[in-house]
Structure formats: structure tokens, C-alpha cells
Amino acid sequence: MLLQYIQKALTKAQYKLLDDGTWFAEVPGFEGVWANAPTVEGCRQDLMEVMEEWLILKIRDRDPIPKIEGVNLEFKEERAA
């Protein structure tokens, strides 16, 4: 489920070639999810790792996670028996 979510989020990524020749990418609506690398593929790979880490922190902190293209990462508390 996480991989599917990350892949859908990355389809929204916006890439830009910077003046210094490196690539910058971010995913709109995901504050703090951005990457910068010498190649576009390296930037995409870094962006995927950042998205994964961002999601892990959101899950750990029980912060809301945006729904994206029908994929909703919603976690429910289990009640103790």
C-alpha cells in the first residue's frame, strides 16, 4: 500500500533544471517533500526516499496523510481487549 501511494504521489512531482545544472523536484501538497540531485533520475530516486521517510514520520506521529488518486492511508487504533 505504501509503495502504491508513493508511486501515485510521484506522478504529481514537478521537476526543474536549476541554473547550476542540478535537478530539483517537489510534490505539490506535500510540504517538505523535495529533492535535489545532479541527474533527473537521481532526483527522482531521492524524491522517492524523501516521500517514504515523510510517510513514516506522518504515520509515527499520527498526522493526517493526504488522500491521493483514491489511495487513502488511514490508520485506525486497535482497542485493547
Side-chain angles (χ1 to χ4, degrees), residues 27-75:
V27 181
F30 293 80
E31 187 176 343
V33 177
W34 62 272
N36 180 254
T39 65
V40 72
E41 185 54 37
C43 191
R44 185 182 185 288
Q45 185 65 37
D46 288 353
L47 189 62
M48 188 179 335
E49 291 173 15
V50 169
M51 176 64 80
E52 182 179 355
E53 292 167 2
W54 183 87
L55 282 170
I56 289 168
L57 289 173
K58 291 289 186 184
I59 292 165
R60 183 197 71 188
D61 295 343
R62 292 180 166 74
D63 288 340
I65 299 171
K67 186 176 180 178
I68 187 164
E69 292 187 20
V71 179
N72 188 17
L73 294 180
E74 187 175 281
F75 297 91

Side-chain angles (χ1 to χ4, degrees), residues 14-26 34-44 46:
Q14 297 176 347
Y15 295 84
K16 183 195 300 188
L17 181 59
L18 301 179
D19 291 338
D20 66 359
T22 63
W23 287 89
F24 173 83
E26 63 184 343
W34 62 272
N36 180 254
T39 65
V40 72
E41 185 54 37
C43 191
R44 185 182 185 288
D46 288 353

